[in-house]
Amino acid sequence: MTDDRRAYRIVSRIGFTAAPAMFFLPLLVPMFSGGYRSWPIVCMTAAFAVLVSASSFAAMASTPPDGNPGAHQLWAIPVAVVALLPGAVLSSGLYLTVVALLSQAAATAPG
């Protein structure tokens, strides 16, 4: 059981590191590509589900020795699905704001 808890901790740490990277790194895409792409919004939205999953694994790692760690997956799956809607709205809004700001900056740049 100790090995399982250690694995849960490792997975949760990876998830807590990957989720912010998945959310913020795609904001660099319009800076280098010069236009709108749809895949960064998908990646940014998926970051919310990864964050919920990492939270679930962290809860599984802290389950008492006599408890059932798999029970945390029962709440994690619906919460991850529900988190995708506000995640998509926030991701789309932020990404489109960055694209609009870059387009405006390019249009008003001298030369």
Side-chain angles (χ1 to χ4, degrees):
M1 188 63 158
T2 304
D3 291 337
D4 290 341
R5 291 182 193 287
R6 184 169 181 261
Y8 297 150
R9 280 189 200 94
I10 291 170
V11 171
S12 69
R13 285 182 189 144
I14 291 170
F16 285 132
T17 304
M22 287 175 64
F23 187 78
F24 290 112
L25 286 179
L27 292 175
L28 297 175
V29 171
M31 294 178 198
F32 295 110
S33 70
Y36 172 81
R37 306 279 187 266
S38 61
W39 68 264
I41 295 174
V42 173
C43 183
M44 292 170 70
T45 302
F48 286 85
V50 170
L51 190 59
V52 171
S53 179
S55 300
S56 170
F57 276 99
M60 290 168 66
S62 63
T63 303
D66 59 343
N68 180 12
H72 293 289
Q73 291 299 314
L74 295 175
W75 63 261
I77 295 168
V79 169
V81 171
V82 170
L84 290 178
L85 180 61
V89 171
L90 180 66
S91 300
S92 298
L94 184 60
Y95 186 79
L96 293 175
T97 300
V98 169
V99 169
L101 289 173
L102 290 172
S103 297
Q104 184 180 11
T108 59

